[in-house]
Amino acid sequence: MMNWDLTLIYKDDTHLNNSLNELSKQINNFVVKYENKLKNVNNIDEALDELDDIYNKISTANAYAYLKFAQNNQNGGFLQKISEKCTELASKIVFFELEFCSLDNAEKLASKSKYSYMLSNWLINKKYLLEKQAQSVFMKMQNNSANAFSRFFDEFLADIEFKFDNKTISEEELLSKLYNPDRKIRKKAADAFSKGLKNNIKPLLFTFNMIKNIHKTECEIKGYEHPLKARNISNEISDESVNSLIKTCENNFNLVHKFYKKKAKLLNIKQLKDYDRYAPLNLNSKNDWDFEKSCKLVRKSFNEFNPKFALIMDEALKNKAIDVYPAKQKRGGAFSYGIKPQPYVMLNHTSNRRDAFTLAHELGHLIHQKLAGDNQAFFYSDTPLTTAETASVFAEMLFFDSIKKDLNKEDKQALLASKIEDIFATLFRQINFTTFEIALHNHEGELSLEQIQTIWMQESKKMFANSVMLRDDYKYWFSYIPHFIHSPFYCYAYSYAQLLVLALFGLYKSNKCENFVQIYEKFLSLGSSKSPSDLVAMFGLNLDDESFWQLGMNEVKKLVDEFCDE
């Protein structure tokens, strides 16, 4: 079994505590040196370099605590303790952004700084800043409001006992059975999952309403014009662009209907139901994607594109930076946590083919985080969600393109169907999630279970229409989606990235862009030091062009047409 080795971050908890004590001293000295004195500073970059170092250390401490919690939810008390300490330290330096934005010569300083892009964004969005004391209080309250409910959600969901064939299994193990070729097993798994959620729905419903209320309060306090505004700002994308993305996706739901009607014929099922969405087409194909096999084939796909990507993967495996298998009290799902110098990946590998794609997805994140972390200051090593998800989805496309070469016609069609379903899940389903959240957060007051379920089913049915029948129990499935709790309105970033990646991948395969591989590596290495528009412009594409989203959608149509014409 492969588990994380967190000693690359801190040797032990004592090392962490000693580091935080040293950091506290560094911050106190920083405050004495710069608070209420920025107008007299000759070299703003020198101050920003130290601030960058401080935030990097705070982030590393938070990362260590969260990774321990994700591995074992019994470490919740430790996470809370470290989060509170880090918030306390961060609250002491909130003065810097506030004071910089109030300087008469702030724009001039920003234009000459190596941090000019970040400083310019500070100035653009300064109207949403609170006064220092209010900002400090707001930060400290997060640990006892949104962050507390996020922690509760993770702990509670991880402890739900799902029953299948008289055995207790994890959420990940149960959901993996939705990919089983036996329709009876798929139905039994879906029914067991619905029952588990239904039996635990009251605390989950309460958590949803609390996150909704907390988000509403934050919008009111900071002056955000609508619930999506804070996310759009952090993603560095305009309201108009997000609305255009949603509209483009909803206008192409017919691709979903066309695909599933064809799949129903191939499966000889008159009416597909929710538990049939991921049914494999090739019933004779072995679903034996163990971790060793998955690693070998993902690495091969990376090496074919850029050998440096394969070496970064090798380093992560060598450093034991990938936690692989499901375990009791371990968080569900998968993620990559960007830490300098070694990002960490969490998986819940159950040896399905989808798990191999998840490995490629999370390693795409890791490669992006590693390249940006090695080439940029901490401030620029993290990226907006829109470009962060680009690397992960592109890695999936590399893997898909690599493994399909060696398949026979039957296996190739099955793989194509699986990939289209993944694209639908990343593209259209995430738009469903986003419009569900919009309706949720625009609703005045607390919502009853029936109200949330009605919204959930209405938005979900838009995507599938009559191509897939969503049974009544599907109304409980909103309650396990972690992004709704951890990061409201996160989900459209997946859709954004999927269309962007399809446009980029189409460009790559067309051979119309010279040095694509080198440009792509630079694109990742730049992190968030440039705007998403400027980064994408490196490939000759224009994010502000209204027809941009259709470029990616055209690639989806090609895949669906190829599948339906087979």
Side-chain angles (χ1 to χ4, degrees):
M1 181 174 289
M2 182 177 285
N3 298 318
W4 283 324
D5 177 7
L6 300 181
T7 60
L8 284 174
I9 311 173
Y10 296 106
K11 294 177 183 177
D12 50 34
D13 294 355
T14 301
H15 182 200
L16 165 63
N17 290 325
N18 291 339
S19 297
L20 287 174
N21 289 335
E22 290 300 312
L23 179 57
S24 181
K25 294 175 185 176
Q26 181 183 355
I27 289 174
N28 289 337
N29 291 333
F30 183 86
V31 172
V32 170
K33 187 176 181 180
Y34 291 112
E35 189 168 20
N36 298 319
K37 300 172 185 175
L38 279 190
K39 63 182 179 182
N40 300 319
V41 171
N42 293 322
N43 188 343
I44 196 70
D45 280 0
E46 183 179 306
L48 286 165
D49 284 341
E50 187 171 358
L51 188 65
D52 181 87
D53 179 60
I54 289 170
Y55 274 117
N56 182 37
K57 290 173 179 174
I58 292 173
S59 175
T60 301
N62 268 322
Y64 177 80
Y66 183 75
L67 292 178
K68 289 192 70 170
F69 169 71
Q71 204 171 32
N72 184 345
N73 65 23
Q74 297 301 300
N75 290 319
F78 177 74
L79 173 64
Q80 182 72 11
K81 174 186 172 183
I82 299 303
S83 296
E84 288 177 355
K85 178 63 176 176
C86 288
T87 301
E88 178 189 348
L89 294 174
S91 68
K92 294 180 179 180
I93 50 178
V94 296
F95 76 87
F96 196 96
E97 181 178 353
L98 294 167
E99 194 170 329
F100 176 83
C101 289
S102 69
L103 295 175
D104 293 336
N105 62 337
E107 290 187 9
K108 183 178 179 181
L109 289 172
S111 67
K112 295 181 178 181
S113 171
K114 65 181 180 182
Y115 297 99
S116 61
Y117 180 63
M118 179 186 75
L119 296 177
S120 296
N121 278 336
W122 283 6
L123 293 171
I124 290 171
N125 298 308
K126 68 179 182 180
K127 69 177 182 177
Y128 301 112
L129 293 174
L130 303 176
E131 295 297 326
K132 178 191 169 186
Q133 186 175 2
Q135 183 66 27
S136 296
V137 170
F138 184 83
M139 290 173 63
K140 291 178 179 179
M141 287 298 295
Q142 288 294 94
N143 288 324
N144 298 304
S145 57
N147 292 350
F149 282 107
S150 292
R151 173 188 158 190
F152 169 77
F153 178 85
D154 285 348
E155 290 184 16
F156 185 80
L157 204 61
D159 287 341
I160 292 178
E161 294 186 343
F162 294 99
K163 301 291 184 181
F164 188 85
D165 283 346
N166 298 317
K167 294 180 181 179
T168 299
I169 62 175
S170 71
E171 170 195 327
E172 296 294 334
E173 292 170 305
L174 184 57
L175 290 176
S176 71
K177 297 183 183 300
L178 295 177
Y179 296 81
N180 195 286
D182 188 328
R183 195 180 193 208
K184 292 180 180 178
I185 291 177
R186 294 197 304 272
K187 181 180 184 300
K188 187 188 293 186
D191 290 344
F193 190 61
S194 297
K195 185 176 180 181
L197 295 176
K198 181 179 181 180
N199 290 343
N200 293 276
I201 197 63
K202 190 171 182 179
L204 295 172
L205 172 65
F206 180 74
T207 303
F208 266 73
N209 271 306
M210 289 303 100
I211 290 295
K212 172 185 176 296
N213 293 342
I214 291 166
H215 187 70
K216 180 176 184 290
T217 300
E218 179 179 350
C219 289
E220 290 174 350
I221 290 173
K222 293 194 170 185
Y224 295 125
E225 292 84 353
H226 54 80
L228 269 83
K229 191 64 179 181
R231 180 63 64 198
N232 294 351
I233 289 171
S234 66
N235 283 341
E236 299 170 26
I237 184 171
S238 69
D239 295 349
E240 293 76 18
S241 186
V242 174
N243 292 336
S244 176
L245 168 66
I246 292 172
K247 184 177 180 181
T248 298
C249 289
E250 291 189 328
N251 286 343
N252 284 274
F253 280 161
N254 62 299
L255 296 176
V256 178
H257 312 156
K258 180 178 180 179
F259 169 80
Y260 279 115
K261 286 176 181 178
K262 175 68 174 181
K263 184 173 183 179
K265 290 181 180 178
L266 293 173
L267 290 171
N268 197 27
I269 297 175
K270 186 174 181 180
Q271 174 65 71
L272 293 181
K273 298 187 178 179
D274 49 85
Y275 53 81
D276 294 317
R277 287 173 295 159
Y278 305 119
L281 285 181
N282 188 351
L283 303 184
N284 298 317
S285 179
K286 292 183 179 179
N287 203 18
D288 55 351
W289 291 78
D290 61 60
F291 186 65
E292 183 178 355
K293 174 184 175 181
S294 299
C295 278
K296 180 181 178 181
L297 293 176
V298 169
R299 188 191 188 283
K300 177 175 177 284
S301 71
F302 287 173
N303 194 58
E304 289 170 346
F305 178 72
N306 185 339
K308 188 172 184 177
F309 289 11
L311 293 176
I312 292 173
M313 176 181 173
D314 292 343
E315 185 180 23
L317 289 165
K318 179 183 176 183
N319 289 337
K320 296 183 179 179
I322 306 177
D323 198 293
V324 180
Y325 299 108
K328 189 173 177 60
Q329 296 170 337
K330 177 181 175 180
R331 201 197 110 152
F335 64 80
S336 181
Y337 205 125
I339 311 169
K340 290 189 176 191
Q342 177 61 65
Y344 280 74
V345 164
M346 169 166 278
L347 303 171
N348 277 277
H349 196 89
T350 58
S351 298
N352 280 308
R353 181 166 59 193
R354 180 60 233 152
D355 293 318
F357 277 94
T358 298
L359 174 64
H361 180 103
E362 299 305 338
L363 287 175
H365 278 307
L366 182 142
I367 289 166
H368 194 181
Q369 291 159 348
K370 177 66 175 172
L371 289 172
D374 286 353
N375 289 281
Q376 301 297 329
F378 172 76
F379 282 138
Y380 288 147
S381 63
D382 196 17
T383 60
L385 297 177
T386 41
T387 48
E389 290 300 338
T390 301
S392 55
V393 180
F394 193 88
E396 286 191 61
M397 288 300 295
L398 289 174
F399 181 53
F400 167 72
D401 194 55
S402 177
I403 62 175
K404 75 176 184 179
K405 298 173 185 175
D406 302 321
L407 300 178
N408 59 39
K409 182 178 179 181
E410 187 179 21
D411 285 341
K412 191 174 181 179
Q413 187 181 37
L415 178 66
L416 182 59
S418 178
K419 185 56 196 168
I420 290 171
E421 286 160 359
D422 289 341
I423 290 174
F424 286 175
T426 308
L427 177 60
F428 295 121
R429 189 167 182 245
Q430 302 305 318
I431 291 300
N432 265 174
F433 287 173
T434 301
T435 53
F436 165 72
E437 282 190 282
I438 291 172
L440 196 76
H441 285 269
N442 281 337
H443 187 278
E444 287 295 328
E446 192 162 309
L447 289 103
S448 67
L449 176 60
E450 291 73 21
Q451 287 173 315
I452 292 183
Q453 289 175 327
T454 297
I455 296 170
W456 171 253
M457 293 299 279
Q458 284 176 344
E459 295 304 323
S460 298
K461 287 177 180 178
K462 285 182 183 178
M463 173 176 167
F464 296 105
N466 62 357
S467 65
V468 176
M469 188 185 101
L470 302 179
R471 297 174 304 151
D472 186 61
D473 276 355
Y474 188 73
K475 65 188 179 185
Y476 291 100
W477 287 43
F478 74 90
S479 62
Y480 83 102
I481 309 296
H483 291 320
F484 294 157
I485 305 302
H486 296 304
S487 309
F489 301 106
Y490 183 112
C491 295
Y492 77 73
Y494 286 114
S495 306
Y496 180 109
Q498 182 68 79
L499 289 181
L500 173 56
V501 162
L502 288 168
L504 289 178
F505 200 77
L507 183 64
Y508 165 57
K509 296 300 289 184
S510 73
N511 294 316
K512 292 180 180 179
C513 178
E514 291 185 13
N515 302 320
F516 181 94
V517 175
Q518 291 78 12
I519 295 172
Y520 184 73
E521 183 180 329
K522 184 178 180 181
F523 168 84
L524 299 185
S525 299
L526 285 169
S528 58
S529 61
K530 295 181 180 293
S531 71
S533 294
D534 287 343
L535 289 171
V536 173
M538 295 164 59
F539 299 97
L541 299 173
N542 182 5
L543 279 184
D544 297 322
D545 190 328
E546 289 185 6
S547 63
F548 169 76
W549 301 118
Q550 198 58 44
L551 291 175
M553 199 62 73
N554 290 342
E555 296 297 319
V556 181
K557 185 177 184 300
K558 288 178 186 177
L559 290 172
V560 172
D561 287 345
E562 180 184 351
F563 173 77
C564 292
D565 292 341
E566 283 285 342

